[in-house]
């Protein structure tokens, strides 16, 4: 087919025109819709889980647990693609799992806190009750459940000492306790709470004057604490399973789309960056649209709910599957011994250093993705700002994507990795010093080189350094390191440092780690370049010596004398023997 018949061309005044390959239109639409839906989830999932009752520690633990699962599934998917040569069925399986988890998030209940209330009961010698407290009538509207009972101001006394000095300790722990609530008056809002021992008569209770426990502290809750505890654990586990499945499916579809886009770009002599441009358009549109919808639903008085966010994501994800049916990637033939060839490839020092670059960049990216929204919310950012701040950076990256191949080749793929690491350094230190959340819109521009163009360079590097039969595996490995394994570091920094020392300190630690490896990798590239120059000089000198020897040999034939090195004849003899 002729090239002009393959392209839709739009002409502008002058000599300017834009051409889009007809065979790449379905993949562009699929990339736009899928990344719009997927980025909505990654932007709002952390704040949604926090709203549902999970803590930062829970989120960090779930992320760390899911990493190993995601890594192995990603590597297995990449090897299956290389081994079978079929990519569509694997993508449809992961996309279906992703959609099921979104539906589950919509119907999942909130996790209730096991709320307790400490009430101080004073011991009084009355016929009605020996213990009485005066507190607000609003607490514990329904029933009471006694968890523990302990003395007030017992110093360093142990539990056994407490039981010996105050017989009510063991009595309250063994006896069945009921608490009656009576209003002091209709206007005060205070009630009198009386403790009754249902298994004992009042006469069997020793008087307060004979004991050393004038005042007791009881910890009560309005629900059965044992049931509440196990119920909470159950729902945390369910949420954990859904988060693991959602993250795994999302990241695998992302990587498979990268494999398909790079393969089709090669088939039709296009640029991978221009295909990824459409995924970034979707990634900027999705969160901004979802943030706007969420902001409007809250302003209309319907209450806080993240259901519209997931519905929006489901619609985009389903629409992305429709044009993908027409995509026909001509993948390479099935390959045997994928595992052995992959292990041999990893022995290369250049690939090893590249994998560390991807890992370090992935830690910064993962931290921003998981905890960035929480950090901005703590600074006072609105839901709309969370979506807009990400979208602005993506829109600004679009022109760079159109000329990404030229831009990266001009700088050099390896050199661009250093620039990306330094961009993350700026981003992390800027966020650590930020006081106003709206400044994040400007700081997000660092992600143009830190993430957007960086990942294009990663895919280009994989195409250049990996053999054809291992390119899907190499891309899956790079994606797994960046989006999965790196999340362990992100979870550790988020779960430990951010939880104990705050988000500012976490961003400073990330900036220091990234800066350290940027220096290491830059030094490696300099040494590699110097070594290449040294080898080139040596080869040029050897060529010069060989040329001089040939000239001497020719001069001797003509009777001309040329002064050369004594080893010239030996070198000529060696060359002749060779």
């Amino acid at each position: 087919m002729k090239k002009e018949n393959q392209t839709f061309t739009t002409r502008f005044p002058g000599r300017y025109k834009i051409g889009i390959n007809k065979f790449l239109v379905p993949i562009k639409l699929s990339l736009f819709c899928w990344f719009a839906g997927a980025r909505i989830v990654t932007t709002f999932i952390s704040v949604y889980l926090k709203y549902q009752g999970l803590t930062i520690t829970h989120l960090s633990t779930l992320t760390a647990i899911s990493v190993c699962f995601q890594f192995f599934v990603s590597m297995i998917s990449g090897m299956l693609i290389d081994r079978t040569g079929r990519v569509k069925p694997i993508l449809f399986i992961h996309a279906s799992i992703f959609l099921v988890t979104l539906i589950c998030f919509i119907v999942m209940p909130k996790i209730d806190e096991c709320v307790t209330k400490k009430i101080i009961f004073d011991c009084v010698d009355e016929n009605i009750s020996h213990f009485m407290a005066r507190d607000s009538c609003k607490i514990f509207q329904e029933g009471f459940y006694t968890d523990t009972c302990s003395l007030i101001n017992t110093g360093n006394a142990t539990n056994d000492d407490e039981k010996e000095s105050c017989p009510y300790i063991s009595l309250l722990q063994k006896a069945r306790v009921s608490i009656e609530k009576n209003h002091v008056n209709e206007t005060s809002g205070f009630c009198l709470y009386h403790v009754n021992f249902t298994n004992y008569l009042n006469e069997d209770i020793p008087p307060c004057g004979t004991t050393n426990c004038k005042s007791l502290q009881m910890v009560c809750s309005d629900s059965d604490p044992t049931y509440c505890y196990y119920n909470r654990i159950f729902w945390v586990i369910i949420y954990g399973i859904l988060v693991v499945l959602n993250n795994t499916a999302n990241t695998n579809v992302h990587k498979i789309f990268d494999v398909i886009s790079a393969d089709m770009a090669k088939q039709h002599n296009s640029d991978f960056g221009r295909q990824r441009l459409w995924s970034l358009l979707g990634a900027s549109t999705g969160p901004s649209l979802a943030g706007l919808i969420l902001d409007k639903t809250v302003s209309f008085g319907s209450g806080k709910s993240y259901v519209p966010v997931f519905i929006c994501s489901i619609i985009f994800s389903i629409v992305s599957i429709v044009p993908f049916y027409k995509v026909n990637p001509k993948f390479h033939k099935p390959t045997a011994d994928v595992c052995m060839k992959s292990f041999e490839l990893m022995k290369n020092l250049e690939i090893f250093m590249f994998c560390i670059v991807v890992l370090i960049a992935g830690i910064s990216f993962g931290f921003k993705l998981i905890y960035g929204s929480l950090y901005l919310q703590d600074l006072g950012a609105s839901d709309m700002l969370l979506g807009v701040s990400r979208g602005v950076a993506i829109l600004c990256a679009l022109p760079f994507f159109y000329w990404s191949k030229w831009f990266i080749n001009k700088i050099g793929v390896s050199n661009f990795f250093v620039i990306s690491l330094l961009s993350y350094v700026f981003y992390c230190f800027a966020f650590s010093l930020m006081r106003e959340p709206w400044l994040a819109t400007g700081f997000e521009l660092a992600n143009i080189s830190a993430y957007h163009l960086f990942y294009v360079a990663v895919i280009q590097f994989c195409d250049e350094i990996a053999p054809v039969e291992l390119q899907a595996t190499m891309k899956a490995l790079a994606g797994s390191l960046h989006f999965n394994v790196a999340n362990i570091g992100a979870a550790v920094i988020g779960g430990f440092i951010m939880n104990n020392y705050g988000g500012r300190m976490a961003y400073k630690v990330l900036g220091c780690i990234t800066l350290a490896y940027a220096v290491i990798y830059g030094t490696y590239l300099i040494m590699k370049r110097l070594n290449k120059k040294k080898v080139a000089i040596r080869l040029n000198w050897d060529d010069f010596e060989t040329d001089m020897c040939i000239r001497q040999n020719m001069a001797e034939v003509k009777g001309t004398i040329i002064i050369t090195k004594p080893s010239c004849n030996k070198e000529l003899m060696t060359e002749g023997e060779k």
Side-chain angles (χ1 to χ4, degrees), residues 177-198:
V177 177
S178 65
I179 303 176
E180 294 181 1
K181 180 171 68 174
N182 299 308
H183 289 270
V184 175
N185 55 58
E186 294 181 358
T187 59
S188 66
F190 285 92
C191 289
L192 292 177
Y193 297 89
H194 301 274
V195 176
N196 294 321
F197 301 93
T198 56

mmCIF file of all heavy atoms in Angstrom, residues 177-198:
data_model
loop_
_atom_site.group_PDB
_atom_site.id
_atom_site.type_symbol
_atom_site.label_atom_id
_atom_site.label_comp_id
_atom_site.label_asym_id
_atom_site.label_seq_id
_atom_site.Cartn_x
_atom_site.Cartn_y
_atom_site.Cartn_z
ATOM 1 N N VAL A 177 -21.323 -7.153 84.144
ATOM 2 C CA VAL A 177 -21.550 -5.758 84.508
ATOM 3 C C VAL A 177 -22.595 -5.151 83.586
ATOM 4 O O VAL A 177 -22.557 -5.347 82.370
ATOM 5 C CB VAL A 177 -20.240 -4.951 84.427
ATOM 6 C CG1 VAL A 177 -20.499 -3.492 84.744
ATOM 7 C CG2 VAL A 177 -19.211 -5.522 85.364
ATOM 8 N N SER A 178 -23.491 -4.414 84.151
ATOM 9 C CA SER A 178 -24.446 -3.627 83.372
ATOM 10 C C SER A 178 -24.371 -2.182 83.847
ATOM 11 O O SER A 178 -24.119 -1.919 85.022
ATOM 12 C CB SER A 178 -25.872 -4.163 83.531
ATOM 13 O OG SER A 178 -26.309 -4.013 84.859
ATOM 14 N N ILE A 179 -24.577 -1.265 82.927
ATOM 15 C CA ILE A 179 -24.474 0.156 83.248
ATOM 16 C C ILE A 179 -25.798 0.823 82.923
ATOM 17 O O ILE A 179 -26.308 0.718 81.810
ATOM 18 C CB ILE A 179 -23.323 0.823 82.462
ATOM 19 C CG1 ILE A 179 -22.005 0.110 82.752
ATOM 20 C CG2 ILE A 179 -23.227 2.299 82.799
ATOM 21 C CD1 ILE A 179 -20.841 0.636 81.962
ATOM 22 N N GLU A 180 -26.341 1.474 83.926
ATOM 23 C CA GLU A 180 -27.587 2.216 83.755
ATOM 24 C C GLU A 180 -27.284 3.703 83.549
ATOM 25 O O GLU A 180 -26.378 4.250 84.161
ATOM 26 C CB GLU A 180 -28.481 2.043 84.987
ATOM 27 C CG GLU A 180 -28.975 0.625 85.184
ATOM 28 C CD GLU A 180 -29.860 0.509 86.400
ATOM 29 O OE1 GLU A 180 -30.095 1.559 87.056
ATOM 30 O OE2 GLU A 180 -30.313 -0.599 86.704
ATOM 31 N N LYS A 181 -28.074 4.319 82.688
ATOM 32 C CA LYS A 181 -27.879 5.735 82.392
ATOM 33 C C LYS A 181 -29.137 6.502 82.760
ATOM 34 O O LYS A 181 -30.241 6.157 82.323
ATOM 35 C CB LYS A 181 -27.576 5.929 80.909
ATOM 36 C CG LYS A 181 -27.350 7.377 80.510
ATOM 37 C CD LYS A 181 -26.842 7.501 79.081
ATOM 38 C CE LYS A 181 -27.888 7.090 78.075
ATOM 39 N NZ LYS A 181 -27.461 7.344 76.683
ATOM 40 N N ASN A 182 -28.972 7.540 83.581
ATOM 41 C CA ASN A 182 -30.094 8.381 84.005
ATOM 42 C C ASN A 182 -29.729 9.847 83.786
ATOM 43 O O ASN A 182 -28.613 10.275 84.111
ATOM 44 C CB ASN A 182 -30.418 8.149 85.485
ATOM 45 C CG ASN A 182 -30.830 6.716 85.757
ATOM 46 O OD1 ASN A 182 -31.719 6.189 85.102
ATOM 47 N ND2 ASN A 182 -30.171 6.075 86.718
ATOM 48 N N HIS A 183 -30.656 10.598 83.232
ATOM 49 C CA HIS A 183 -30.421 12.022 82.986
ATOM 50 C C HIS A 183 -30.405 12.789 84.302
ATOM 51 O O HIS A 183 -31.248 12.572 85.181
ATOM 52 C CB HIS A 183 -31.506 12.598 82.076
ATOM 53 C CG HIS A 183 -31.414 12.119 80.667
ATOM 54 N ND1 HIS A 183 -30.687 12.771 79.711
ATOM 55 C CD2 HIS A 183 -31.954 11.026 80.066
ATOM 56 C CE1 HIS A 183 -30.789 12.124 78.566
ATOM 57 N NE2 HIS A 183 -31.556 11.053 78.755
ATOM 58 N N VAL A 184 -29.448 13.693 84.404
ATOM 59 C CA VAL A 184 -29.403 14.566 85.576
ATOM 60 C C VAL A 184 -30.595 15.501 85.552
ATOM 61 O O VAL A 184 -31.341 15.640 86.521
ATOM 62 C CB VAL A 184 -28.080 15.357 85.626
ATOM 63 C CG1 VAL A 184 -28.101 16.359 86.775
ATOM 64 C CG2 VAL A 184 -26.905 14.409 85.748
ATOM 65 N N ASN A 185 -30.796 16.157 84.401
ATOM 66 C CA ASN A 185 -32.002 16.949 84.148
ATOM 67 C C ASN A 185 -32.143 17.090 82.635
ATOM 68 O O ASN A 185 -31.265 16.689 81.868
ATOM 69 C CB ASN A 185 -31.957 18.314 84.849
ATOM 70 C CG ASN A 185 -30.713 19.111 84.485
ATOM 71 O OD1 ASN A 185 -30.471 19.387 83.325
ATOM 72 N ND2 ASN A 185 -29.933 19.482 85.504
ATOM 73 N N GLU A 186 -33.218 17.646 82.187
ATOM 74 C CA GLU A 186 -33.524 17.684 80.766
ATOM 75 C C GLU A 186 -32.684 18.687 80.002
ATOM 76 O O GLU A 186 -32.570 18.615 78.781
ATOM 77 C CB GLU A 186 -35.008 18.005 80.568
ATOM 78 C CG GLU A 186 -35.935 16.912 81.091
ATOM 79 C CD GLU A 186 -37.389 17.250 80.845
ATOM 80 O OE1 GLU A 186 -37.646 18.359 80.310
ATOM 81 O OE2 GLU A 186 -38.257 16.424 81.180
ATOM 82 N N THR A 187 -32.087 19.655 80.669
ATOM 83 C CA THR A 187 -31.382 20.732 79.982
ATOM 84 C C THR A 187 -29.858 20.638 80.092
ATOM 85 O O THR A 187 -29.145 21.251 79.307
ATOM 86 C CB THR A 187 -31.830 22.098 80.523
ATOM 87 O OG1 THR A 187 -31.556 22.149 81.934
ATOM 88 C CG2 THR A 187 -33.319 22.309 80.262
ATOM 89 N N SER A 188 -29.341 19.923 81.042
ATOM 90 C CA SER A 188 -27.900 19.935 81.274
ATOM 91 C C SER A 188 -27.118 19.136 80.229
ATOM 92 O O SER A 188 -25.976 19.463 79.918
ATOM 93 C CB SER A 188 -27.587 19.378 82.663
ATOM 94 O OG SER A 188 -27.932 18.000 82.735
ATOM 95 N N GLY A 189 -27.708 18.062 79.695
ATOM 96 C CA GLY A 189 -26.985 17.223 78.752
ATOM 97 C C GLY A 189 -26.063 16.222 79.412
ATOM 98 O O GLY A 189 -25.318 15.530 78.726
ATOM 99 N N PHE A 190 -26.085 16.148 80.732
ATOM 100 C CA PHE A 190 -25.260 15.192 81.472
ATOM 101 C C PHE A 190 -26.135 14.083 82.048
ATOM 102 O O PHE A 190 -27.315 14.280 82.347
ATOM 103 C CB PHE A 190 -24.493 15.892 82.592
ATOM 104 C CG PHE A 190 -23.342 16.705 82.102
ATOM 105 C CD1 PHE A 190 -23.511 18.068 81.811
ATOM 106 C CD2 PHE A 190 -22.094 16.132 81.924
ATOM 107 C CE1 PHE A 190 -22.450 18.819 81.347
ATOM 108 C CE2 PHE A 190 -21.037 16.885 81.471
ATOM 109 C CZ PHE A 190 -21.199 18.228 81.179
ATOM 110 N N CYS A 191 -25.489 12.905 82.187
ATOM 111 C CA CYS A 191 -26.179 11.743 82.735
ATOM 112 C C CYS A 191 -25.342 11.128 83.843
ATOM 113 O O CYS A 191 -24.109 11.293 83.881
ATOM 114 C CB CYS A 191 -26.448 10.695 81.656
ATOM 115 S SG CYS A 191 -27.713 11.169 80.455
ATOM 116 N N LEU A 192 -26.031 10.389 84.709
ATOM 117 C CA LEU A 192 -25.363 9.597 85.746
ATOM 118 C C LEU A 192 -25.333 8.144 85.292
ATOM 119 O O LEU A 192 -26.358 7.584 84.914
ATOM 120 C CB LEU A 192 -26.108 9.730 87.079
ATOM 121 C CG LEU A 192 -26.057 11.099 87.760
ATOM 122 C CD1 LEU A 192 -26.913 11.083 89.019
ATOM 123 C CD2 LEU A 192 -24.621 11.476 88.104
ATOM 124 N N TYR A 193 -24.134 7.590 85.305
ATOM 125 C CA TYR A 193 -23.952 6.197 84.904
ATOM 126 C C TYR A 193 -23.678 5.361 86.155
ATOM 127 O O TYR A 193 -22.741 5.643 86.905
ATOM 128 C CB TYR A 193 -22.788 6.081 83.916
ATOM 129 C CG TYR A 193 -23.016 6.819 82.608
ATOM 130 C CD1 TYR A 193 -22.651 8.155 82.466
ATOM 131 C CD2 TYR A 193 -23.618 6.185 81.540
ATOM 132 C CE1 TYR A 193 -22.863 8.843 81.289
ATOM 133 C CE2 TYR A 193 -23.846 6.861 80.337
ATOM 134 C CZ TYR A 193 -23.456 8.184 80.216
ATOM 135 O OH TYR A 193 -23.680 8.851 79.047
ATOM 136 N N HIS A 194 -24.487 4.315 86.380
ATOM 137 C CA HIS A 194 -24.354 3.444 87.544
ATOM 138 C C HIS A 194 -23.917 2.055 87.096
ATOM 139 O O HIS A 194 -24.478 1.499 86.142
ATOM 140 C CB HIS A 194 -25.688 3.342 88.298
ATOM 141 C CG HIS A 194 -26.195 4.653 88.785
ATOM 142 N ND1 HIS A 194 -25.802 5.197 89.982
ATOM 143 C CD2 HIS A 194 -27.061 5.551 88.237
ATOM 144 C CE1 HIS A 194 -26.403 6.361 90.163
ATOM 145 N NE2 HIS A 194 -27.170 6.604 89.104
ATOM 146 N N VAL A 195 -22.926 1.501 87.790
ATOM 147 C CA VAL A 195 -22.450 0.150 87.509
ATOM 148 C C VAL A 195 -23.188 -0.832 88.405
ATOM 149 O O VAL A 195 -23.210 -0.679 89.629
ATOM 150 C CB VAL A 195 -20.928 0.034 87.750
ATOM 151 C CG1 VAL A 195 -20.466 -1.391 87.542
ATOM 152 C CG2 VAL A 195 -20.181 0.986 86.830
ATOM 153 N N ASN A 196 -23.789 -1.836 87.807
ATOM 154 C CA ASN A 196 -24.477 -2.889 88.550
ATOM 155 C C ASN A 196 -23.798 -4.232 88.280
ATOM 156 O O ASN A 196 -23.492 -4.558 87.121
ATOM 157 C CB ASN A 196 -25.950 -2.972 88.147
ATOM 158 C CG ASN A 196 -26.720 -1.733 88.539
ATOM 159 O OD1 ASN A 196 -26.488 -1.173 89.618
ATOM 160 N ND2 ASN A 196 -27.630 -1.288 87.677
ATOM 161 N N PHE A 197 -23.567 -4.981 89.326
ATOM 162 C CA PHE A 197 -22.985 -6.320 89.198
ATOM 163 C C PHE A 197 -24.140 -7.316 89.185
ATOM 164 O O PHE A 197 -24.716 -7.630 90.236
ATOM 165 C CB PHE A 197 -22.037 -6.609 90.359
ATOM 166 C CG PHE A 197 -20.902 -5.619 90.450
ATOM 167 C CD1 PHE A 197 -21.004 -4.492 91.258
ATOM 168 C CD2 PHE A 197 -19.754 -5.798 89.712
ATOM 169 C CE1 PHE A 197 -19.985 -3.582 91.334
ATOM 170 C CE2 PHE A 197 -18.728 -4.882 89.788
ATOM 171 C CZ PHE A 197 -18.832 -3.773 90.605
ATOM 172 N N THR A 198 -24.476 -7.820 88.024
ATOM 173 C CA THR A 198 -25.682 -8.640 87.891
ATOM 174 C C THR A 198 -25.540 -10.015 88.524
ATOM 175 O O THR A 198 -26.541 -10.657 88.837
ATOM 176 C CB THR A 198 -26.039 -8.801 86.399
ATOM 177 O OG1 THR A 198 -24.908 -9.348 85.722
ATOM 178 C CG2 THR A 198 -26.393 -7.454 85.780
#
